Amino acid sequence: MSPGSAGAAADDAEADAIVVGAGLAGLVATSELVAAGRRVLLVDQEPEASLGGQAFWSLGGLFFIDSVEQRAAGIKDSLELARADWFSNAGFDRGVDDPLGEDHWGARWADAYLQFAAEEKRSWLSGLGMSWVPIVGWAERGGQMADGPGNSVPRFHLTLGTGPGVMEPFEKLVREAAEAGKVSFRFRHQVDSLSTTGGVVDGVRGSVLEPSDAERGTPSSRTKVGDFELRAPIVIVTSGGIGANHDLVRSNWPSYLGEPPARLITGVPAHVDGRMLGISEAAGARLVNRDRMWHYTEGLINHSPIWPDHGIRVLAAPSSMWFDAEGGRFPNPGIPSYDTLGTLEMIMRTGHDHSWFVLNKRIIDKEFVLSGSEQNPELTRKDLAAYLAGRLFHDTPPPVKAFMDDGEDFVIADDLAELVKGMNALAGTNLIDADDLGRQITTRDQQVDNPFTKDNQVMGIRNSLAYSGDSLARTTPLHKILDPAAGPLIAIRMNILTRKTLGGLQTDLFGRVLDVAGRPIPGLYAAGEVSGFGGGGVHGYRALEGTFLGGCLFSGRQAGRAAASESA
């Protein structure tokens, strides 16, 4: 299916297409273009060491529907169930049926992506050499009504090799194409504007930055040493989101969340700065859903930072108790693994920008997974046996132990009074009362004495244990938090961690960028996070998880194939 002609090619074109951004979406789009015989200029402001962008640092989770792994675990999934979950989770409410609505194309992309995730996604990636951990994770469980947010069933598939394992086959294809002369890399080329001729985007202009030996993920110099101009009849923008640009995060902060946090930590490298959003908008692109973003509520300050304000996200199962900054227990859905956005709303209503997990060593040994390739060395090196042994035999995972020993957000104590003393000292306040916190924990612990309960979190733990994957590797058998045999006690200050931009450049299903009148801008495409992972916001307000890498894969493929068809 062809998107049609975008206009005459520039006479002095240096390639068939320019791809701006060498992250996962850019690599996928480039691989599709070269597979169709096109010549590509791949442009990025970072040095070659950062090829692959944010994807390298990710945990590598992918969202599949009715997969081999799900069926092996007895999980009954279907496209219909996944669509119901996605759309109730997304909450599209900005003109879905209006071609000029902000959610019109995002909702259409959601339908297309769900079809992809239920059908060829797994076989396509498997054919490229990817494989997955056999235990399917259960992220964003919702924990509310059946038509509310969340995944009804586990759908989070961990890739062997984590984020690098997802990136690897596309990097290989692009490097092979470069060796064959079909791809030319332009590292340290910072795009400052899109060039147009007769209303057609036909190239990019910008600044050549000084050479840099900055290691992957670390900040690189922005010292300008020259100018450049590159020409091609098609430009695909795949430059990522705004997660490291706290000024942009705060200026776009959703009004329903009140004032933005005074303190944020950062879940992405410093180069995730959002520059190309404004540059594309200046060239006529329509930017939609600016206030939709995905920030995690369980962020830890990295004891060994790679980029500024480097934070790591905890992927917890449901056993830890979650309290606000003043020691009040969060109601449902403020339960680990349930509802990120719902919990963020509750945190912001407290007037504080942190919250607390209270748990014990028995829980942290089995339930804590830290997001990121560098925090999961066995999985990243594709040693499945070692990874499963660590999950099944429940020693404290070494990366988690490192945070317990050296992380500034951890308080560990043998009794509750000492724990609260440490919590208040860490926060620099006396907001938490030991007697009140003890009363809440004891009241919860009393619910463990019987096989029935009125406590939503205890119900959730039992629901989790009913799933074999969680029972084996992710959820601690139900017990009392204050049981001395399960100690010592642990409190963890949880910070708000920036991560993903859910809005962005509005695109049609070919990945063509639309203008303010809803018309495709000739010559301009976008894919990945800069396009809200498709359509300017395929996730709506919330993500079901495993869908960011998947969104880069799908939108990069769509844009690459459409651009290849147009340039035939």
Side-chain angles (χ1 to χ4, degrees), residues 460-485:
I461 295 167
R462 289 184 174 138
N463 192 38
S464 186
L465 291 168
Y467 165 47
S468 60
D470 274 1
S471 180
L472 281 170
R474 286 287 280 132
T475 304
T476 307
L478 187 58
H479 65 284
K480 296 183 177 183
I481 299 286
L482 296 178
D483 180 356

Side-chain angles (χ1 to χ4, degrees), residues 20 53 63 72 108 159 182 184 198 213 282 284 306 417 425 434 447 536 540 550 566:
V20 181
F63 176 98
R108 293 186 65 183
T159 305
K182 297 177 182 177
S184 180
D213 58 2
I306 297 168
Q447 296 289 308
E566 178 181 334

